[in-house]
Amino acid sequence: MIPATMEQLEQVRKECRAMVNKRATASAGTTLVPVPGTDVVADVGMLMQLLPAINNKFGLSQQQLSGMDPETKSMIYGFIMSIGSKIIGRMITKELVVQVLRRVGMRVATKSVAKFVPFAGQGLAAVLSFTAMRYVGNKHIDDCYEVARRMIEQREGLPGEPSTSSLEDDTRHDLEEKHQDHHDSSNGKN
């Protein structure tokens, strides 16, 4: 379920950032295994667990979205499209994770090569691994946060961005006033 308040949303973001830091640290640790490609396979596996966990925490997993009413679901997908996320509300597959990693591919490629430079290379690879994992995770958190924030604002009808229900109420009120004015003027009341 999407957080109901900004306080809840902030708490979810904090919890997700902790998850990302834990996985990024683990990713950095996998660079110590001197077998080529082991770290990339481990990163894909970690992201296949991490990204759905983030979606779930924000109430934006594919399963959670499928259970929503069509109007809410449509609004959320509109927000998702406007920020350009390819991960929110989707089934997280190996192919999708590989696409995400390709976006940060230079770091991953550098990490794999740097690992074979004695001493400093493994340290550099660990730093790059940590940075890449943290970047992907935090970017996804930021995207989920933005979608959830927009939903909260929509629900609350914050000033400057009226909710659809308050727009409907305003329109109905305007129509009632016009009807009353018309009724008053046709009865000679002015």
Side-chain angles (χ1 to χ4, degrees):
M1 184 168 171
I2 294 176
T5 66
M6 289 303 292
E7 292 79 23
Q8 290 174 353
L9 183 59
E10 290 297 333
Q11 182 60 36
V12 167
R13 179 164 59 177
K14 184 178 176 183
E15 291 169 10
C16 288
R17 292 233 190 260
M19 283 191 321
V20 166
N21 285 334
K22 188 182 290 187
R23 297 291 168 89
T25 301
S27 175
T30 63
T31 61
L32 301 176
V33 178
V35 178
T38 304
D39 50 345
V40 175
V41 171
D43 286 351
V44 168
M46 282 185 236
L47 285 172
M48 285 185 68
Q49 293 173 357
L50 180 64
L51 298 175
I54 292 169
N55 279 343
N56 196 51
K57 284 268 195 191
F58 279 96
L60 297 169
S61 71
Q62 183 181 32
Q63 184 179 9
Q64 290 164 321
L65 292 179
S66 68
M68 293 180 180
D69 65 272
E71 185 179 327
T72 302
K73 193 184 323 183
S74 175
M75 192 180 310
I76 290 172
Y77 279 120
F79 293 151
I80 292 168
M81 288 176 54
S82 74
I83 62 170
S85 175
K86 305 277 189 235
I87 303 170
I88 300 173
R90 292 186 58 191
M91 175 76 71
I92 306 298
T93 63
K94 181 179 175 183
E95 293 76 22
L96 184 60
V97 170
V98 169
Q99 285 177 3
V100 169
L101 284 175
R102 279 192 186 129
R103 288 188 211 144
V104 289
M106 188 56 84
R107 290 179 181 172
V108 173
T110 304
K111 174 179 77 169
S112 295
V113 171
K115 181 159 78 167
F116 296 102
V117 176
F119 304 114
Q122 282 190 312
L124 176 61
V127 168
L128 290 170
S129 184
F130 179 87
T131 303
M133 181 66 71
R134 203 165 136 203
Y135 173 81
V136 170
N138 285 338
K139 171 73 171 109
H140 185 52
I141 290 169
D142 292 345
D143 290 347
C144 289
Y145 180 90
E146 181 62 20
V147 170
R149 183 189 63 78
R150 290 180 185 184
M151 281 304 297
I152 290 169
E153 287 177 355
Q154 189 70 28
R155 277 189 230 140
E156 292 177 352
L158 293 177
E161 294 186 33
S163 68
T164 53
S165 62
S166 68
L167 284 176
E168 290 167 3
D169 292 344
D170 291 346
T171 304
R172 185 172 39 250
H173 180 71
D174 291 345
L175 288 173
E176 288 170 357
E177 279 183 353
K178 285 180 184 178
H179 177 71
Q180 185 63 38
D181 289 344
H182 177 70
H183 180 70
D184 290 347
S185 65
S186 61
N187 287 335
K189 298 178 186 175
N190 254 350

